Amino acid sequence: MRAIAVAVAAALVLVGCGVPVQEDPAPIDPGAIPSRLRSASRPTTGPAPATSGQATVQVNFVRRDRLVALNREAPSTTSTELMNAVLQGLQDGPSATERAGGLTSALQPGLTLSVIHVQAKSVVLELSGETGGRSAAENVLAVGQIVLSVTALPAVDEVTFSHNGVPVEALLADGSLTTKPLTAKDYEALRSQ
């Protein structure tokens, strides 16, 4: 009963505040937007930063054909645990709240990522499970999701892929194929601005 009274009171306040209602969306003149809101450093829609002492990793997902970085908690700060947290975060995909906010994953359901080899700042990831059947645009986003997420780790600069132990070609952001190690620079064009 109290909730209904609060809702009615809120509705009366809104009706009385004189805000006009319009049927269709109207464009906003960019000059009318305060400069602090036009800043390129917009906050992500991800979870709040972890409390001090809790390690976090960055995982990328898709919103309107662009990659968006979100934070995920990691169980520890060891390189292995951080890498596992990134791979698990990618495989888990966006949370229900994040999906409701428009985030998706370009990774195939059932795709499994595992570390095969690490040398210096280069990692080889094994792709297993379903890896085909997507459009070239979705495949570019999927590879970008993985590469940008893994290379966000301080210990990794390059990523290569294998499938059944055989090196595979990967799509670059420009649509070309390569078997060379992939870096964050190869997918910067896919980041949300």
Side-chain angles (χ1 to χ4, degrees), residues 59-129:
V59 181
N60 287 267
F61 296 114
V62 179
R63 177 183 286 128
R64 292 185 219 106
D65 297 325
R66 291 283 176 225
L67 296 177
V68 177
L70 302 176
N71 291 329
R72 294 290 191 260
E73 290 185 0
S76 79
T77 58
T78 69
S79 294
T80 301
E81 290 297 327
L82 293 173
M83 177 67 75
N84 289 338
V86 168
L87 298 180
Q88 190 62 53
L90 286 168
Q91 291 169 177
D92 290 346
S95 69
T97 303
E98 292 163 348
R99 285 192 307 273
L103 289 174
T104 62
S105 177
L107 302 181
Q108 286 275 52
L111 174 69
T112 303
L113 303 165
S114 54
V115 176
I116 296 298
H117 182 71
V118 177
Q119 182 176 1
K121 292 191 129 200
S122 185
V123 65
V124 178
L125 295 177
E126 175 73 14
L127 306 171
S128 53

Side-chain angles (χ1 to χ4, degrees), residues 61 129 191-192:
F61 296 114
R191 286 190 192 270
S192 179

Side-chain angles (χ1 to χ4, degrees), residues 115-184:
V115 176
I116 296 298
H117 182 71
V118 177
Q119 182 176 1
K121 292 191 129 200
S122 185
V123 65
V124 178
L125 295 177
E126 175 73 14
L127 306 171
S128 53
E130 187 60 43
T131 59
R134 297 279 179 124
S135 70
E138 288 173 315
N139 284 334
V140 167
L141 287 169
V143 174
Q145 260 186 270
I146 297 167
V147 172
L148 289 176
S149 298
V150 173
T151 59
L153 294 169
V156 181
D157 287 337
E158 301 177 337
V159 178
T160 53
F161 295 103
S162 68
H163 184 63
N164 294 326
V166 177
V168 296
E169 291 184 313
L171 281 166
L172 294 170
D174 66 6
S176 61
L177 287 168
T178 187
T179 55
K180 293 181 180 177
L182 306 167
T183 67

